[in-house]
Amino acid sequence: ARCCASERSATREKAAALDAAALAQLVSRLEQTASGLGAREVSKAASALGKLLQRAGADAEAPSLRRALAAVTDCCVRGATALDAQAVATVLHAHASGGCAPAEASMRALQQRAATLASDGDFNPQDSANTLWAFAKLGVPPDGALAAAPALRLA
């Protein structure tokens, strides 16, 4: 029985090493191709990275996941006017879930885009909830224009 347990442990360690190598490869590829992603792909990639970061915690993979999320966010910020309300909410939610705020310039661009979309009435209740939760989780108050947007007012 001891032999079987050590074999299972060795198999798990090999699988974890393969998973880490595959993840490193995937993250590297994502960083290289982020600039070619559209708004929906950026949103999906950010969501997946946020979930992986949430799981990784302090694991060795966390720094590379943070870099990939930053690359994806920078990419979407450069084309921020193409982001719809769901994409903005998803990118902010991914950062909050992963416990890492976007760079200051990226946060400003996301806030500005969210303010524009919210004032145009493009936020649905789920987008509003995700956006407000992300700001609260990150400890970042929405800027004035965003806080004043009718779609995000709580009262």
Side-chain angles (χ1 to χ4, degrees):
R2 188 181 303 169
C3 176
C4 292
S6 66
E7 284 178 17
R8 281 193 301 268
S9 178
T11 301
R12 270 189 242 121
E13 287 174 18
K14 276 185 191 177
L18 288 173
D19 286 349
L23 181 60
Q25 231 178 358
L26 179 64
V27 165
S28 174
R29 182 81 172 125
L30 185 56
E31 286 177 306
Q32 293 168 6
T33 60
S35 63
L37 299 176
R40 189 59 50 209
E41 290 87 9
V42 163
S43 174
K44 288 180 180 187
S47 178
L49 288 165
K51 289 174 186 174
L52 287 170
L53 264 168
Q54 195 174 19
R55 271 195 217 146
D59 287 353
E61 294 87 15
S64 63
L65 291 169
R66 283 190 197 92
R67 281 194 312 274
L69 182 55
V72 167
T73 302
D74 290 346
C75 161
C76 83
V77 165
R78 284 192 296 276
T81 57
L83 296 177
D84 62 11
Q86 182 181 5
V88 170
T90 300
V91 170
L92 287 168
H93 192 274
H95 278 279
S97 294
C100 60
E104 190 175 326
S106 296
M107 180 60 89
R108 262 194 319 276
L110 288 166
Q111 283 188 331
Q112 289 171 350
R113 182 62 180 152
T116 299
L117 292 165
S119 66
D120 291 346
D122 291 338
F123 269 83
N124 66 33
Q126 186 66 56
D127 299 332
S128 297
N130 286 345
T131 300
L132 291 171
W133 176 85
F135 283 127
K137 180 83 172 160
L138 292 169
V140 176
D143 71 5
L146 182 57
L152 293 182
R153 276 196 224 132
L154 297 177

